[in-house]
Amino acid sequence: MKLLELAIAFFLFLASHLMLTGCVAAYQVTLYLHNKCPFPIWPATAPNTGYPVIADGGFYLPSGQTHCIYAPLTWSGRIWARTGCKFNSNWKPACETGDCNGRLACNGLIGKAPVTLVQIALQENQSKSSFIDVSLVDGYNIPVSVTIRQRPEQCTIRGCLQSVNDVCPQELRVSNKKGKVVACKSACLAFDNDIFCCRNAYGTPEKCQPSVYSKIFKDACPCYYSYAFDTPPPLVNCASEEYAITFCPSGWGDAYISI
Ligand SMILES: *[C@@H]1O[C@H](CO)[C@@H](O)[C@H](O)[C@H]1NC(C)=O
C-alpha cells in the first residue's frame, strides 16, 4: 500500500512538473522564459548568421506564465520581449516595442529597437566559453534577469533597480498612443553620432567614455551594457543546459530586483 501511494505521489509530481513547466531536457539547451510582468509579452528570438531559428522566432507569453524553448548546444543569437502587441489587425507594426514586421513568429527577423536585448553565445565544446549578456546599447523596454538554474548564486545577471522608462529623458522616450513611456532609446540610437555610438574617432574603449545618457541606463541597470564599451560583470564560465530568463524579475516597479 505504502509503495502504491509512493508511486502515485511520484507520478503526480512528474505530471505536475510537466504541466507546470512543460519542459523536457535532452541534448540541447533549455531556456525557461518567465513572464513576471503584470501584462502579456511576446518574447522573440533571432539567431546570428549561420545558426537556426529557435521557437519560430516568437510567441505569446501571458503574465505569470513560463514557456520553455530549446536551442542547440552550440547557438548564438538574441532574445527580447515585445510589448503591447495586437496581431489581429492589419496594422504594422503590431507591437509597441520590439516589433518584427508585424509578425508573431519573427522567424529570424530582428526586432525594432529600442529593446532590452539578451545576447547569447553558447558553446557545446567545454573548452570554449559560453557568453550571455544583457545590452541596452540600442535602448531599453523592460527589465530582464538571466540565471543558471542550478547555480544562481554564482551565475546571475540581475534585473534593474528601477525602470529606465521612469527616468528616461524626454529626447530618448518612446511613447505609445496613450502617451505612456514604453521604451527608452540609447543616445546612440537617438542621435546616431560617433561619440555615443563608439565609432570612428571614438571607436576604442579609451576614446569612448560613458555619457550623461549611458549613466542613466547604468544607474538603473548596473548589470547590463549601457554603451558599446561598457564592462558589466559578464556571465562566463557558467556553461549549463538550463537557463532561466525572467522578464520583470521582481514584478513591476519594485525597488529592488531579485531573480
Ligand atoms: C574544442 O575547442 C578546442 C579549443 O578551441 C579545440 O582544440 C578542440 O579541438 C575542440 N574540440 C572539439 C571536440 O571540437
Side-chain angles (χ1 to χ4, degrees), residues 171-172 185-194 196-197 199 213:
E171 58 272 34
L172 303 181
K185 293 177 193 173
S186 67
C188 171
L189 183 69
F191 308 124
D192 190 28
N193 66 20
D194 292 351
F196 294 129
C197 296
R199 284 185 311 229
Y213 294 112

Side-chain angles (χ1 to χ4, degrees), residues 120-139:
I120 297 180
L122 303 171
Q123 294 284 353
E124 177 176 9
N125 185 337
Q126 301 279 317
S127 59
K128 298 178 183 172
S129 293
S130 291
F131 285 94
I132 299 187
D133 65 65
V134 177
S135 170
L136 304 181
V137 169
D138 286 335

Side-chain angles (χ1 to χ4, degrees), residues 98-114:
D99 188 75
C100 62
N101 265 7
R103 299 188 201 168
L104 171 61
C106 297
N107 208 10
L109 288 178
I110 63 171
K112 185 168 165 28

Side-chain angles (χ1 to χ4, degrees), residues 8-247:
I8 289 171
F10 182 65
F11 175 78
L12 285 177
F13 168 79
L14 271 186
S16 67
H17 182 75
L18 258 181
M19 268 189 306
L20 277 178
T21 66
C23 301
V24 284
Y27 304 113
Q28 54 196 344
V29 173
T30 307
L31 305 168
Y32 294 74
L33 270 60
H34 303 290
N35 179 11
K36 289 197 184 174
C37 306
F39 45 79
I41 59 173
W42 289 261
T45 72
N48 290 343
T49 308
Y51 295 94
V53 172
I54 62 171
D56 300 328
F59 52 90
Y60 171 54
L61 188 58
S63 177
Q65 296 207 2
T66 299
H67 187 86
C68 290
I69 65 176
Y70 305 97
L73 294 172
T74 299
W75 189 79
S76 161
R78 57 177 71 193
I79 296 179
W80 70 99
R82 294 167 290 174
T83 60
C85 303
K86 282 200 187 75
F87 293 102
N88 50 8
S89 73
N90 290 325
W91 297 346
K92 274 188 182 186
C95 303
E96 290 174 354
T97 67
D99 188 75
C100 62
N101 265 7
R103 299 188 201 168
L104 171 61
C106 297
N107 208 10
L109 288 178
I110 63 171
K112 185 168 165 28
V115 284
T116 308
L117 265 192
V118 179
Q119 306 188 116
I120 297 180
L122 303 171
Q123 294 284 353
E124 177 176 9
N125 185 337
Q126 301 279 317
S127 59
K128 298 178 183 172
S129 293
S130 291
F131 285 94
I132 299 187
D133 65 65
V134 177
S135 170
L136 304 181
V137 169
D138 286 335
Y140 166 101
N141 64 341
I142 61 174
V144 64
S145 71
V146 184
T147 187
I148 304 306
R149 284 190 100 221
Q150 292 86 350
R151 290 184 293 145
E153 318 75 39
Q154 302 105 321
C155 295
T156 291
I157 299 173
R158 286 174 172 275
C160 301
L161 302 171
Q162 67 181 139
S163 171
V164 175
N165 295 338
D166 291 344
V167 291
C168 185
Q170 184 82 48
E171 58 272 34
L172 303 181
R173 285 180 199 162
V174 176
S175 302
N176 67 8
K177 291 201 182 84
K178 292 177 187 160
K180 183 173 184 292
V181 179
V182 291
C184 188
K185 293 177 193 173
S186 67
C188 171
L189 183 69
F191 308 124
D192 190 28
N193 66 20
D194 292 351
I195 294 185
F196 294 129
C197 296
C198 303
R199 284 185 311 229
N200 301 323
Y202 298 91
T204 62
E206 296 72 37
K207 295 275 166 56
C208 200
Q209 294 293 315
S211 67
V212 284
Y213 294 112
S214 74
K215 282 179 182 160
I216 295 170
F217 286 69
K218 198 70 189 173
D219 287 345
C221 311
C223 302
Y224 302 171
Y225 275 87
S226 63
Y227 70 105
F229 288 115
D230 197 1
T231 50
L235 209 59
V236 292
N237 301 319
C238 280
S240 171
E241 288 175 13
E242 287 188 294
Y243 296 88
I245 297 175
T246 306
F247 295 99

